[in-house]
Amino acid sequence: MERTFGADEVIVTKTDLRGHITYANDVFLRVSGYGECEMIGQPHSMIRHPHMPRAVFKLLWDSVQSGKEIFAYVMNLASDGSHYWVLAHVTPSFDERGGIVGYHSNRRVPTRKALETVIPLYAQLRSVEGGHARAVDAAEAGQAALEAHLETLGQTYDEFVWSLNPEDGR
């Protein structure tokens, strides 16, 4: 079962350096089906859907830990086992000296048209990852498959994401 939220709504969370939730807005709590007390202090990975490719999370973490922002399509797991898709914009949060102190994520509803491309790609990445017993090997294999796919398109990951959303003007 799929959950959704309004096109005018934004899911917002903040985490510490370890990815533990320090803030969750009302939209996140409603869509995920969790209460604030259940979420604060918990690893953000508690909403990771098992059908999400490890490669996407590796790309996400590699980007934000190096101080860069990233936009990514993510399928999350709600408390009742349902899922919801988001277009996530994840950024590092910096202190006054420029050190990373946590992460901030805004998520909005992706277009169905974008998901028509993303869902089969993610299935392909999961298939590649499924051939590896160790999570790190699966993530690396998935990342190599994603890079090969992007190379055939002649696009970077960012260009790929924004090619699915031309109305956003990027």
Side-chain angles (χ1 to χ4, degrees):
M1 183 160 159
E2 184 171 355
R3 291 179 176 227
T4 191
F5 53 103
D8 61 335
E9 294 183 296
V10 178
I11 291 175
V12 179
T13 56
K14 295 179 184 180
T15 69
D16 62 17
L17 289 173
R18 297 176 304 147
H20 290 102
I21 297 170
T22 60
Y23 171 80
N25 76 345
D26 291 343
V27 180
F28 175 78
L29 297 173
R30 185 184 79 240
V31 176
S32 70
Y34 287 101
E36 186 175 25
C37 292
E38 294 174 281
M39 296 304 290
I40 301 300
Q42 295 301 312
H44 208 286
S45 61
M46 76 182 284
I47 62 164
R48 180 175 182 223
H49 197 284
H51 291 160
M52 271 299 297
R54 292 181 184 277
V56 174
F57 286 113
K58 180 177 181 345
L59 178 63
L60 189 151
W61 276 105
D62 288 351
S63 295
V64 296
Q65 288 177 330
S66 70
K68 299 174 187 165
E69 70 178 349
I70 187 169
F71 289 84
Y73 291 94
V74 178
M75 181 181 9
N76 288 323
L77 182 64
S79 64
D80 64 0
S82 59
H83 70 277
Y84 57 100
W85 281 97
V86 299
L87 174 55
H89 176 211
V90 187
T91 62
S93 299
F94 300 96
D95 65 17
E96 57 278 348
R97 292 189 302 269
I100 298 173
V101 294
Y103 306 101
H104 181 268
S105 181
N106 292 325
R107 287 156 337 257
R108 58 188 177 160
V109 176
T111 65
R112 281 288 142 194
K113 185 174 184 206
L115 292 179
E116 289 171 7
T117 300
V118 170
I119 290 171
L121 172 60
Y122 282 14
Q124 178 186 11
L125 296 176
R126 284 192 325 272
S127 177
V128 168
E129 292 174 356
H132 300 273
R134 291 180 0 151
V136 67
D137 295 336
E140 289 176 5
Q143 185 175 23
L146 177 58
E147 289 171 2
H149 178 75
L150 293 171
E151 189 173 318
T152 65
L153 297 175
Q155 296 177 321
T156 66
Y157 181 78
D158 288 340
E159 290 169 337
F160 169 71
V161 167
W162 292 114
S163 74
L164 301 177
N165 289 286
E167 65 276 5
D168 286 331
R170 298 209 183 226

